Amino acid sequence: MLRNHIKSAILLISAAALVSCSEPAPMASVSDNVPHNRDVFAMDTYMSMKAYGSNSEAALDEAEKFITQLENDLSVTNESSCISKVNSASGSPVTITDDAAEIISKALEIGKNTNGALDITIYPLLKEWGFTTGDNKIPKQSALDTLMADTGFEKVHLDGDTVTIPENFLIDLGALAKGYTSDKIMKIMKKNGVDSAIVSLGGNVQAMGAKPDGSFWKVSVRDPFMPDTDMCIIETDTKAVITSGNYERYFVGSDRKNYWHILDPADGYPADNGLVSVTIIGDSGLECDALSTALFVLGDSKAQEYWKAHHDFDMILVTDDGNIIYTDGIADRFTNISSMEAEVLCLD
């Protein structure tokens, strides 16, 4: 039975997440310390936004409008969206929005850098497994082989705001959309003079600045072996914290095995390369969202190699044998509250 935790169940901003943990800054005015909250259901998940400051209500209004607009632009099931127009263009070029172009550009970049571990053309495979419809089943190999013949991120051509895909190809930006959305929300906050805010878009958490009293935000990361409990706490300010895990959305097959929605584009099956959870911490929600999926697909050793080659982000890996590996950039902001062993990954 499908457990629709989605990525929203990975990270929670709990009451405990709002406890001070750093040296307080000079106190802000009373009005600046009063939070404004907004809850939205969009992109098939629950989203929450919290902002401080006299203009935060206006910022939240603008952010909510943007979320609705972006969902309409990117939805693969909305026939009027630019993504649906690309998918139905039978190989002809289609002009897309600036937002869609930016997301596709990052998807192609990460796809190239990870040798195809992130691939926005595998939507037909997700449908065949039933992850987009709820009608889950283990596909026949012949069906996967047929569908995989019409996949491959390298065949997506982006030229400015025009994108072209081969006939019979379908693209879906779901693996990057929420990370991009949180980036844009933070820009909206900044434009409106807000410098203390945090959002959880289906569990994709991103913060702007510290809390009004100068303390860090606390973001909890779910235990992939016990998804109703937390595994660790990350203290953060002005960072995105985004997780992908095999417990988010899965079903139990007739063979009594678990099958999850993060597919390996190399064979069309759920990625099973030694990891059960990947959390990425970085400046860009878009990049963190993309990397959380791509590094999950790459697996433990290759994910570590990728970090050592780039090391412009931090990460938390959980292996399928129950070990936590986290990078040294967050060593002073990481608290393990699980029974698993945790070790720090450093550059050689």
Side-chain angles (χ1 to χ4, degrees):
M1 179 178 181
L2 177 64
R3 295 184 59 185
N4 190 19
H5 289 298
I6 315 178
K7 196 175 285 187
S8 62
I10 306 165
L11 306 173
L12 296 178
I13 305 172
S14 63
L18 306 179
V19 177
S20 299
C21 60
S22 66
E23 193 68 26
M27 290 301 293
S29 68
V30 174
S31 63
D32 287 343
N33 281 330
V34 177
H36 292 272
N37 299 281
R38 188 69 53 85
D39 295 322
V40 179
F41 185 81
M43 300 181 184
D44 201 29
T45 194
Y46 289 98
M47 303 181 173
S48 63
M49 300 179 282
K50 181 191 294 284
Y52 292 83
S54 58
N55 208 34
S56 57
E57 194 71 29
L60 290 171
D61 288 343
E62 186 176 345
E64 184 174 357
K65 290 178 182 177
F66 174 77
I67 291 170
T68 301
Q69 169 207 315
L70 190 65
E71 180 177 33
N72 290 334
D73 287 344
L74 302 183
S75 174
V76 72
T77 58
N78 179 357
E79 293 183 359
S80 63
S81 76
C82 66
I83 298 303
S84 289
K85 291 176 181 177
V86 171
N87 288 341
S88 60
S90 301
S92 299
V94 175
T95 300
I96 57 176
T97 63
D98 291 342
D99 294 317
E102 187 172 349
I103 296 171
I104 291 174
S105 178
K106 177 59 67 173
L108 299 182
E109 174 193 328
I110 298 298
K112 180 179 180 181
N113 290 345
T114 60
N115 295 317
L118 181 72
D119 192 332
I120 58 173
T121 70
I122 64 169
Y123 180 71
L125 298 173
L126 289 166
K127 286 183 65 177
E128 186 66 19
W129 281 92
F131 289 115
T132 64
T133 64
D135 184 21
N136 298 107
K137 65 179 185 298
I138 303 172
K140 294 181 179 179
Q141 186 62 53
S142 58
L144 291 179
D145 291 342
T146 298
L147 293 172
M148 286 187 64
D150 291 319
T151 64
F153 79 95
E154 70 281 357
K155 296 179 182 178
V156 176
H157 180 68
L158 179 67
D159 183 10
D161 62 353
T162 301
V163 65
T164 308
I165 62 175
E167 189 173 6
N168 298 324
F169 270 51
L170 298 174
I171 62 171
D172 175 34
L173 305 184
L176 305 95
K178 288 191 287 292
Y180 179 78
T181 303
S182 63
D183 282 341
K184 295 291 284 190
I185 289 173
M186 292 311 171
K187 290 181 180 179
I188 291 170
M189 296 292 176
K190 185 175 182 180
K191 183 184 71 172
N192 282 275
V194 174
D195 56 15
S196 180
I198 191 165
V199 299
S200 176
L201 309 184
N204 287 23
V205 177
Q206 191 158 347
M208 167 177 280
K211 293 166 63 180
D213 65 0
S215 62
F216 292 127
W217 304 96
K218 289 185 176 181
V219 179
S220 57
V221 181
R222 289 295 190 172
D223 185 330
F225 299 104
M226 294 184 291
D228 292 332
T229 63
D230 295 329
M231 173 186 76
C232 65
I233 303 293
I234 304 297
E235 300 168 7
T236 188
D237 60 347
T238 317
K239 294 287 184 181
V241 183
I242 296 178
T243 300
S244 290
N246 69 353
Y247 58 91
E248 302 162 332
R249 195 167 15 139
Y250 70 91
F251 70 95
V252 180
S254 56
D255 55 3
R256 299 187 179 181
K257 293 181 180 179
N258 288 357
Y259 294 90
W260 46 87
H261 77 292
I262 307 174
L263 303 184
D264 188 338
D267 61 12
Y269 280 83
D272 191 9
N273 298 317
L275 293 175
V276 293
S277 175
V278 174
T279 300
I280 306 296
I281 304 99
D283 297 326
S284 164
L286 175 59
E287 182 142 352
C288 290
D289 212 1
L291 285 175
S292 69
T293 299
L295 298 192
F296 185 99
V297 172
L298 284 180
D300 182 13
S301 60
K302 289 184 179 180
Q304 293 188 39
E305 291 173 7
Y306 186 93
W307 176 78
K308 289 179 179 180
H310 295 81
H311 56 83
D312 55 354
F313 62 93
D314 283 290
M315 67 181 183
I316 305 167
L317 308 178
V318 184
T319 62
D320 56 11
D321 57 357
N323 291 310
I324 302 171
I325 303 165
Y326 63 99
T327 51
D328 57 0
I330 55 169
D332 61 344
R333 297 191 180 189
F334 173 91
T335 302
N336 181 15
I337 58 174
S338 75
S339 60
M340 290 182 281
E341 294 291 329
E343 62 178 280
V344 181
L345 177 64
C346 301
L347 291 174
D348 295 332

